[in-house]
Amino acid sequence: MSKLRFHALKEVFKHKPIHIEENVRRSEIFGANVFNESIMRQYLTKEAYESVMSAVSKGSKIERSVADHISTGMKEWAISKGATHYTHWFQPLTGATAEKHDAFFETIGNGLAIEKFGGGQLVQQEPDASSFPNGGIRNTFEARGYTAWDPTSPAFVYGTTLCIPTVFVSYTGEALDYKTPLLRALQAVDTAAVAVCKYFDKNVKKVNASLGWEQEYFLIDSGLAMSRPDITLTGRTLLGHSPAKGQQLDDHYFGTIPNRAMAYMRDLETECMLLGIPVKTRHNEVAPNQFELAPIYEEANLAVDHNSLLMDVMDKVAERHNFKVLFHEKPFAGVNGSGKHNNWSLSTDTGVNLLSPGKTPMSNLQFLTFFINTIKAVYDNEELLRAAIASASNDHRLGANEAPPAIISVFIGEQLTRTLNELENVTNGKLSPQEKTDLKLNVVGKIPDVLLDNTDRNRTSPFAFTGNKFEFRAVGSTANCANPMTVLNTIVAKQLIDFKAEVDTLVSKKDMKKDDAIFNVLREYIKKSKHILFEGNGYGEAWEKEAKKRGLSNNKTTPEALKAKVSKKAIQLFEEMNVMNKIESEARYEIEVEEYVLRIQIEGRVLGDIARNHVVPTAVRYQNILIDNVKGLKDIYGTSFKKLAKEQLNLIEQISNHIEGINSNVTKMIEERKKANAIDDLEKKANAYCHIVKPLFEDIRYHCDKLELLVDDELWPLTKYRELLFTK
Ligand code: ADP
Ligand code: MG
């Protein structure tokens, strides 16, 4: 083993699990660092408290004078928690979270100082964040973005900073972040769903979208991770031969969590508890050193914030434990990558989960309504949904030979398939009483029991119904959930509006009963959107062919997939639902295409560097050893040396071939990069990176990985897969 790798590995053994003192109940510390309802009651005047609560539930405006009271209370509480600074915490389109800390501390002359935090500072800030990607929305002369308080996500203290969740908008009001369109989409689905709920229950006043994400990640010793320039700079390994043992034995999945990882998780969970992130589940994943963490689901906006915050906290806690968290969708070739399932549902303020089959005929019809409308929404917007999860890193899962495929389909299980089939065949027009009873009771009534053993079987589906929620499984592990959640809630909102219009028309124009009208519209929806339903193996080639016949899209790469974001239909949809205007849609598209280019560009540079400056020199050094050996054999044995040196000569030649393979391909890649960089049109540039530059990575990697197998282990400078994946 090389000295470099040896030292890195030796360090690992110094990294013993950190002992975590834990004699408090989790429920006692839950939310201790959050400015939540009960804390607000304590620290705010009655008027201020009610004002925040009404802003949360009804979206009403908070008066400036009241804001001053709130900020004062918030400051007092934060200081009692050890905070010295405050920040507007937001999610710019870089995907990370952003913060700029300001001290409460202010001087008041005569050498005196006080702690101050006014309503103005709470409500709005101008962070001068002109370097965040904005897709050309903010011109330089108005290079100002504003952050504005989002009272629906509570403030929290992290470390010594009071963090205030905010939206980030331009001077002219366009969204520059993930949160703004999400809040608008949640508003849209709330309004649309409440209107439909009124068919079933007049008391419903609010519908909340819920989200329960499941975060997958790898934990790698930080010393080992640091020894790999590719991991440090791109979050994944760009080369590395697969180890003799991978995940084929399935001995990691749900196995005992290694001690060090366990200590990390416990520490992380404590931090999450303090921050009010309701983490609940932890387990090993399929790949070695891969894990998953999942919370109890929450209202979607809060859940999105909590996932962003969690990713941050995971990084920070990992530092204490000498770990590096890899969030990348595919950190290692040949072993499973990571995703972030988004479990989604809609529920009413009367306590009903609209995607949970009910016990009464009426609630079952309500369930069917929301269930079928969601399927229709996904069918009509499958390309847009695919676009919502497109990224350079997620391309390694979708459309590669890994779960789930790039084709969006919906899995609903056998029982519900049968229900939909029966519904499809009901009479056109008015239903017989028998039909109605059958549908509402006999068929649907069976669902809850049968579903239990029926739902989660199909792991290959990108969008699966799992008993009382849909699970969007194609979301990438690095993604900000706001993006897919914005799209999903927007398309469902639009669908529900259309549905209501159709039902109302049948009732008023055709004199149909409400029930009959609902059944009739749903029946038509099933007929129209049947093509999106798929229960088979999503990974097979057969499905690709079948999906093509059905007219479903199969956009395997990000540049292809993203286009759906700026289709006429998508722009209209977002405008109509008041989620994004045309400028905002186009800006986001531009940002994402550009990000794709930059990511591939960086990977290309890093790979070129490692191949030329690490791998080739190492191979030459080893080849020289072999050459010396051959020369020695010749000195000793004279002309008969050839027989003895046969393998060495063969190796020398192989090494030369691989060196040639690396150098010619790196040269080619650099040339193609230059050509691509010279292209002005962003879309064409992305295509060049995708279809010309990126494929060369594979060729370069092939030769590097072959050399890894040939070259003396003692010389090889890069930490190997087996060391990265199996060191505990
Ligand atoms: P899995 O087999 O995928 O692990 P689980 O039943 O453990 O399934 O649930 C996974 C996630 O689904 C959890 O994060 C949970 O909070 C979330 N979930 C459960 N019910 C809902 C719901 N109504 N809305 C959104 N998410 C939900
Ligand atoms: Mg899941």
Side-chain angles (χ1 to χ4, degrees):
M1 189 183 293
S2 78
K3 272 205 188 104
L4 219 75
R5 277 164 49 221
F6 180 72
H7 280 299
L9 279 168
K10 214 172 76 185
E11 285 302 305
V12 175
F13 296 104
K14 289 189 195 155
H15 297 160
K16 298 235 173 66
I18 296 178
H19 179 67
I20 311 287
E21 207 55 68
E22 270 180 310
N23 39 23
V24 276
R25 278 182 192 226
R26 294 294 168 90
S27 58
E28 274 168 27
I29 58 167
F30 183 71
N33 290 350
V34 181
F35 197 59
N36 55 24
E37 266 186 65
S38 72
I39 301 285
M40 274 194 268
R41 271 183 210 272
Q42 242 174 290
Y43 279 84
L44 299 184
T45 59
K46 191 160 175 280
E47 189 199 5
Y49 169 77
E50 276 166 6
S51 174
V52 177
M53 293 322 287
S54 133
V56 172
S57 60
K58 299 199 199 85
S60 54
K61 212 168 170 292
I62 292 173
E63 293 301 325
R64 218 1 249 283
S65 57
V66 182
D68 278 330
H69 288 292
I70 301 168
S71 62
T72 305
M74 214 185 250
K75 179 197 71 185
E76 287 311 312
W77 168 77
I79 290 173
S80 81
K81 289 274 156 194
T84 55
H85 287 64
Y86 66 91
T87 182
H88 275 196
W89 183 83
F90 58 103
Q91 297 164 46
L93 296 167
T94 49
T97 56
E99 45 198 83
K100 175 186 166 235
H101 298 188
D102 282 299
F104 291 126
F105 169 88
E106 249 171 55
T107 52
I108 51 168
N110 298 333
L112 299 173
I114 54 162
E115 259 81 35
K116 193 166 169 249
F117 180 53
Q121 289 155 309
L122 164 67
V123 174
Q124 192 170 309
Q125 290 270 302
E126 192 183 327
D128 185 29
S130 47
S131 305
F132 288 116
N134 58 56
I137 285 179
R138 288 184 299 154
N139 296 325
T140 34
F141 61 87
E142 53 181 36
R144 282 181 291 183
Y146 287 95
T147 51
W149 180 32
D150 164 24
T152 60
S153 181
F156 54 91
V157 168
Y158 188 50
T160 54
T161 307
L162 166 67
C163 301
I164 301 149
T166 57
V167 296
F168 181 39
V169 293
S170 78
Y171 185 61
T172 43
E174 273 98 12
L176 296 170
D177 65 351
Y178 282 112
K179 191 192 261 281
T180 309
L182 174 67
L183 287 173
R184 294 178 189 151
L186 294 172
Q187 176 68 52
V189 84
D190 175 13
T191 311
V194 166
V196 172
C197 281
K198 298 261 192 226
Y199 286 142
F200 309 97
D201 180 358
K202 291 262 182 292
N203 296 319
V204 174
K205 291 197 183 59
K206 187 162 171 62
V207 168
N208 271 322
S210 53
L211 164 65
W213 39 262
E214 303 166 50
Q215 180 72 54
E216 292 183 337
Y217 62 100
F218 281 82
L219 268 187
I220 304 295
D221 181 87
S222 55
L224 299 184
M226 288 285 277
S227 74
R228 297 273 314 215
D230 44 1
I231 294 183
T232 318
L233 296 173
T234 71
R236 73 171 178 119
T237 56
L238 296 169
L239 46 83
H241 201 279
S242 45
K245 176 180 185 267
Q247 63 190 44
Q248 61 272 63
L249 296 176
D250 274 338
D251 50 356
H252 183 70
Y253 193 46
F254 278 50
T256 337
I257 299 172
N259 284 340
R260 250 184 94 191
M262 183 61 120
Y264 165 74
M265 288 179 193
R266 294 192 74 96
D267 200 3
L268 172 64
E269 283 163 4
T270 305
E271 291 283 353
C272 287
M273 283 296 122
L274 291 169
L275 291 166
I277 307 173
V279 292
K280 188 159 173 75
T281 317
R282 59 174 177 219
H283 61 76
N284 289 2
E285 261 304 325
V286 178
N289 282 351
Q290 191 190 26
F291 306 95
E292 180 187 297
L293 180 144
I296 297 167
Y297 68 93
E298 299 176 283
E299 185 279 320
N301 175 43
L302 187 59
V304 167
D305 278 0
H306 277 166
N307 182 250
S308 298
L309 179 58
L310 171 94
M311 290 170 80
D312 235 41
V313 176
M314 282 175 81
D315 272 340
K316 292 203 174 105
V317 175
E319 273 177 40
R320 293 207 278 270
H321 291 256
N322 297 299
F323 275 129
K324 180 161 175 66
V325 184
L326 304 187
F327 288 112
H328 196 285
E329 281 80 353
K330 192 75 181 170
F332 305 98
V335 276
N336 266 36
S338 303
K340 178 151 53 195
H341 295 178
N342 277 204
N343 296 274
W344 170 89
S345 187
L346 295 171
S347 61
T348 66
D349 57 349
T350 54
V352 174
N353 176 353
L354 294 168
L355 288 171
S356 186
K359 295 246 180 324
T360 64
M362 221 33 176
S363 63
N364 272 334
L365 186 54
Q366 177 170 278
F367 159 72
L368 274 183
T369 297
F370 282 90
F371 179 67
I372 294 169
N373 271 290
T374 304
I375 295 173
K376 171 96 173 6
V378 173
Y379 178 57
D380 288 346
N381 300 280
E382 45 96 6
E383 257 193 303
L384 191 56
L385 217 44
R386 165 68 182 93
I389 45 160
S391 70
S393 50
N394 210 16
D395 276 1
H396 293 276
R397 299 170 66 231
L398 317 171
N401 32 18
E402 192 167 321
I407 307 161
I408 300 289
S409 65
V410 181
F411 171 86
I412 59 171
E414 210 177 302
Q415 176 67 28
L416 279 164
T417 303
R418 221 175 303 142
T419 305
L420 295 200
N421 285 342
E422 290 189 35
L423 190 51
E424 191 188 340
N425 294 323
V426 298
T427 341
N428 191 1
K430 287 179 185 160
L431 274 70
S432 71
Q434 187 58 41
E435 274 181 316
K436 281 195 214 178
T437 319
D438 274 1
L439 282 167
K440 286 194 214 161
L441 269 180
N442 297 348
V443 184
V444 188
K446 287 180 200 146
I447 293 169
D449 304 331
V450 188
L451 270 177
L452 291 176
D453 52 73
N454 194 15
T455 49
D456 224 12
R457 239 179 256 156
N458 193 325
R459 284 265 154 202
T460 69
S461 177
F463 200 91
F465 183 70
T466 51
N468 56 4
K469 59 188 185 289
F470 278 101
E471 182 168 0
F472 192 12
R473 295 190 181 130
V475 184
S477 46
T478 57
N480 184 313
C481 306
N483 201 353
M485 279 298 113
T486 300
V487 172
L488 183 57
N489 288 294
T490 305
I491 62 177
V492 171
K494 163 78 174 137
Q495 179 52 51
L496 290 171
I497 291 171
D498 292 350
F499 169 76
K500 182 157 190 309
E502 288 183 61
V503 171
D504 288 351
T505 307
L506 287 184
V507 171
S508 63
K509 301 247 163 73
K510 296 257 160 84
D511 198 25
M512 234 184 234
K513 267 192 157 161
K514 192 184 67 190
D515 264 25
D516 287 327
I518 291 173
F519 270 127
N520 274 281
V521 176
L522 291 181
R523 186 194 55 225
E524 289 314 305
Y525 283 178
I526 295 168
K527 280 187 188 154
K528 281 186 196 150
S529 47
K530 252 196 328 204
H531 280 347
I532 198 79
L533 298 177
F534 180 62
E535 307 281 304
N537 175 14
Y539 304 164
E541 220 176 283
W543 171 229
E544 280 203 47
K545 283 195 190 131
E546 165 70 16
K548 196 172 174 189
K549 253 195 258 161
R550 295 188 187 187
L552 299 176
S553 70
N554 184 4
N555 295 325
K556 291 194 175 181
T557 67
T558 294
E560 270 177 281
L562 285 178
K563 277 197 192 128
K565 289 201 166 193
V566 282
S567 70
K568 223 171 149 188
K569 184 176 150 194
I571 288 176
Q572 252 173 19
L573 167 75
F574 286 125
E575 271 188 330
E576 195 188 329
M577 294 294 103
N578 280 322
V579 172
M580 285 190 281
N581 62 27
K582 188 162 184 262
I583 298 174
E584 290 170 313
S585 288
E586 285 173 347
R588 255 146 236 265
Y589 172 70
E590 198 183 298
I591 289 167
E592 288 181 44
V593 178
E594 178 141 42
E595 180 177 346
Y596 177 83
V597 167
L598 293 175
R599 295 226 178 255
I600 306 291
Q601 187 181 55
I602 292 169
E603 288 191 347
R605 286 182 185 153
V606 174
L607 180 59
D609 169 54
I610 299 178
R612 279 230 163 109
N613 303 329
H614 295 64
V615 175
V616 170
T618 306
V620 169
R621 228 185 302 159
Y622 181 53
Q623 198 183 37
N624 282 337
I625 293 175
L626 293 170
I627 290 170
D628 280 346
N629 174 274
V630 172
K631 278 187 189 155
L633 288 173
K634 195 174 174 188
D635 283 350
I636 299 171
Y637 295 100
T639 45
S640 62
F641 86 101
K642 271 200 178 149
K643 200 169 144 236
L644 292 165
K646 199 171 134 226
E647 280 311 313
Q648 290 87 322
L649 287 166
N650 182 3
L651 266 175
I652 289 169
E653 211 177 302
Q654 279 187 55
I655 291 172
S656 281
N657 288 341
H658 289 307
I659 290 175
E660 202 281 321
I662 290 172
N663 274 331
S664 61
N665 280 306
V666 170
T667 304
K668 205 151 115 199
M669 176 180 70
I670 293 170
E671 273 166 18
E672 293 301 345
R673 252 185 8 233
K674 276 190 192 145
K675 276 193 227 158
N677 292 342
I679 302 173
D680 280 333
D681 182 299
L682 192 55
E683 230 168 72
K684 286 188 183 136
K685 185 187 278 190
N687 278 327
Y689 265 100
C690 180
H691 298 293
I692 303 172
V693 176
K694 193 168 161 253
L696 291 166
F697 294 3
E698 286 312 306
D699 301 329
I700 297 166
R701 178 181 190 142
Y702 170 81
H703 293 289
C704 291
D705 289 356
K706 284 284 175 207
L707 283 171
E708 185 184 320
L709 291 186
L710 297 178
V711 170
D712 183 357
D713 184 63
E714 199 163 334
L715 296 177
W716 197 255
L718 295 159
T719 308
K720 293 185 173 180
Y721 264 33
R722 62 166 186 265
E723 292 149 356
L724 289 166
L725 285 169
F726 290 97
T727 313
K728 289 179 179 148

